[in-house]
C-alpha cells in the first residue's frame, strides 16, 4: 500500500514538472500593442526592435526591420489595428497573436509569433503580414475585449 502511494506521488510530481506551459495572453497583447505603437516613431522602432528575440535579430537587421516598419505604416494608411485572437500550442513556449486592419485598399492581416511564457515574458520571434487571413493550427481563442491600436 505504501509502495503504491509513493508511486502515485512520484508520478504526480513528474507529471507536474514536465509538459506544462502557462501563457499570459493579456501580457502578450499588451506587448503587441506596444510593438505596433512603437512603429509610429524612429525611437519607437528602436524599442520595438529591441523587444525582438535574438533569433529574430540574427535573421533581420535593424535597417531591414526599419524598412518593414515603414512598409507596415505606408500600407496601413494610419488605420487602427485590431488584435483579434491568439493561438497556443500545448507545451510549446510559443504564442501567436493575430491582428488585422481595414484600409481603403482592403484588409491587412498580421501574425506575430512570440516566444516565452507567463514567467519568462514574451519576445517577437516572427512577424508576418498578408492580404489573406492566416491558417491556424493550434488552440485558437479570441480576445474577450476589443484591443485596438490607433493610427499606425
Amino acid at each position: 500500500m505504501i509502495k503504491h502511494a509513493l508511486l502515485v506521488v512520484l508520478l504526480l510530481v513528474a507529471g507536474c514538472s514536465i509538459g506544462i506551459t502557462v501563457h499570459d495572453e493579456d501580457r502578450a497583447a499588451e506587448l503587441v500593442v506596444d510593438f505596433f505603437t512603437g512603429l509610429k516613431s524612429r525611437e519607437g522602432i528602436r524599442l520595438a526592435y529591441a523587444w525582438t528575440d535574438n533569433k529574430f535579430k540574427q535573421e533581420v537587421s535593424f535597417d531591414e526591420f526599419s524598412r518593414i516598419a515603414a512598409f507596415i505604416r505606408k500600407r496601413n494608411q494610419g488605420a487602427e489595428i485590431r488584435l483579434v485572437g491568439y493561438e497556443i500550442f500545448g507545451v510549446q513556449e510559443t504564442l501567436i497573436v493575430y491582428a488585422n486592419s481595414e484600409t481603403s485598399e482592403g484588409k491587412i492581416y498580421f501574425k506575430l509569433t512570440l516566444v516565452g511564457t507567463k514567467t519568462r515574458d514574451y519576445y517577437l520571434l516572427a512577424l508576418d503580414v498578408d492580404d489573406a487571413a492566416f491558417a491556424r493550427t493550434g488552440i485558437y481563442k479570441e480576445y474577450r475585449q476589443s484591443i485596438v491600436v490607433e493610427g499606425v
Side-chain angles (χ1 to χ4, degrees):
M1 180 70 165
I2 293 177
K3 268 186 168 177
H4 293 292
L6 183 58
L7 181 60
V8 168
V9 169
L10 287 173
L11 288 173
L12 286 173
V13 169
C16 290
S17 66
I18 59 171
I20 296 177
T21 302
V22 178
H23 286 289
D24 185 345
E25 65 277 2
D26 295 328
R27 175 67 178 150
E30 181 182 300
L31 291 166
V32 169
V33 166
D34 290 347
F35 172 80
F36 279 126
T37 302
L39 300 184
K40 297 178 188 181
S41 71
R42 186 79 174 153
E43 182 59 27
I45 291 170
R46 287 187 206 291
L47 292 171
Y49 186 73
W51 173 61
T52 63
D53 185 73
N54 289 336
K55 289 179 186 175
F56 183 92
K57 289 180 181 97
Q58 289 173 357
E59 295 182 22
V60 179
S61 69
F62 176 73
D63 288 338
E64 186 177 349
F65 183 77
S66 295
R67 286 191 292 277
I68 292 167
F71 167 79
I72 290 172
R73 283 196 323 267
K74 182 179 179 184
R75 182 124 186 262
N76 199 54
Q77 305 170 352
E80 66 183 24
I81 295 177
R82 183 173 306 278
L83 279 59
V84 293
Y86 62 94
E87 186 175 26
I88 57 174
F89 302 89
V91 298
Q92 292 183 20
E93 292 186 356
T94 304
L95 183 144
I96 296 176
V97 175
Y98 293 95
N100 60 49
S101 67
E102 187 141 0
T103 70
S104 61
E105 296 177 14
K107 266 196 166 176
I108 303 170
Y109 296 88
F110 302 91
K111 177 181 172 184
L112 295 93
T113 303
L114 311 180
V115 63
T117 64
K118 183 174 186 170
T119 57
R120 290 189 328 114
D121 217 357
Y122 295 95
Y123 299 92
L124 183 68
L125 183 62
L127 170 63
D128 298 292
V129 181
D130 206 327
D131 293 332
F134 294 96
R136 300 178 183 122
T137 58
I139 301 166
Y140 177 79
K141 294 183 181 180
E142 291 186 357
Y143 281 106
R144 293 179 298 280
Q145 296 179 328
S146 183
I147 302 170
V148 176
V149 184
E150 297 289 337
V152 177

